Each structure stands twice: as structure tokens, then as C-alpha cells.
Amino acid sequence: MYRGKAYCEANIYLYAPENACSETLTRRKSVIKNYCSNTVRVTEIRIKESGFDEQKKEHFISLSVMSEVLVKYDPVITHLNDYRVNACREFRKQFPAAGAIMAHYIDTYSPFRLDGFKSRA
């Protein structure tokens, strides 16, 4: 049972070696753009910055990733902000290399939602 759906934003940096073509970063970006699991669905990505890191000798792209995250019901939680924190944790489980993650707001379900994103056709 899911208590609500949080709208999260995260920063993700993608790196590719100097000798790799730009298609490598484009491919990795499209994988993130099309990502959908049972609890996390990426809705939008924006390129914040791109360039070449002279120290690491790698090309990089900085992305702002917007997503919807389903948060499971927990009978112990009494405050909605705790569900927002759990949404950030759920996003971190699926994107461990993400930088800062913030849940902007949460929509609650009453009655609770029973199915995830993938179980809906």
C-alpha cells in the first residue's frame, strides 16, 4: 500500500572518458530519462551544465532529474514530511550516485494506492 506520491528533484553527474564519443553520455542520459520502476518514475530531465573536466580528463553532463516517487504506508509515521524523507531515500536506493535529492511536495492517497507504476498498464 502506498500512502502518497512525492515529487522529487535530484542532481546527477554523468562522466565519460576523454576518448569516448559524446554518444556515450547521450545514451546514459536517455536511460535515465526513460527510467521507470515500481516506485520511481522519471518525468523530466534538464541539462544544467556540460563540459570537460580538465583535472579528471573527462567529459561531463550535470542533470536535474524530476521524478515521481511512490511512498509506502508506515503506521508509525504521523507527519507528512517524514514521507517526503522516505521518498528521497527510495530515490537514493535506485540512483545511489545522485547528488542532492529534494522532495518538493507530496500528494496523499485516500484510500491508499495498491499498485505501483509498473503494475499499471
Side-chain angles (χ1 to χ4, degrees):
M1 287 190 303
Y2 297 103
R3 176 69 172 109
K5 177 171 56 173
Y7 298 88
C8 296
E9 180 177 5
N11 293 324
I12 297 177
Y13 285 88
L14 301 177
Y15 291 94
E18 183 178 11
N19 56 0
C21 60
S22 63
E23 292 177 10
T24 304
L25 290 173
T26 305
R27 234 179 299 123
R28 292 177 62 198
K29 185 180 86 171
S30 68
V31 168
I32 293 173
K33 183 178 182 178
N34 298 321
Y35 186 83
C36 182
S37 71
N38 204 35
T39 55
V40 176
R41 177 172 52 194
V42 173
T43 57
E44 178 184 358
I45 61 170
R46 289 184 228 132
I47 298 175
K48 293 172 49 178
E49 184 182 4
S50 65
F52 185 76
D53 187 343
E54 292 291 336
Q55 291 178 334
K56 296 182 179 181
K57 303 288 188 215
E58 294 179 320
H59 296 279
F60 73 92
I61 296 178
S62 172
L63 301 174
S64 176
V65 179
M66 301 295 292
S67 63
E68 298 173 340
V69 180
L70 293 177
V71 185
K72 291 185 179 181
Y73 171 70
D74 186 346
V76 176
I77 293 178
T78 58
H79 200 277
L80 282 179
N81 280 335
D82 294 336
Y83 282 109
R84 290 173 50 186
V85 170
N86 283 352
C88 294
R89 286 182 183 142
E90 182 64 30
F91 189 91
R92 171 81 60 205
K93 285 180 191 173
Q94 297 185 33
F95 290 94
I101 302 171
M102 180 171 58
H104 291 289
Y105 58 94
I106 186 168
D107 291 338
T108 57
Y109 295 119
S110 182
F112 299 140
R113 181 176 174 159
L114 299 176
D115 55 347
F117 292 126
K118 286 205 165 197
S119 52
R120 297 174 75 192

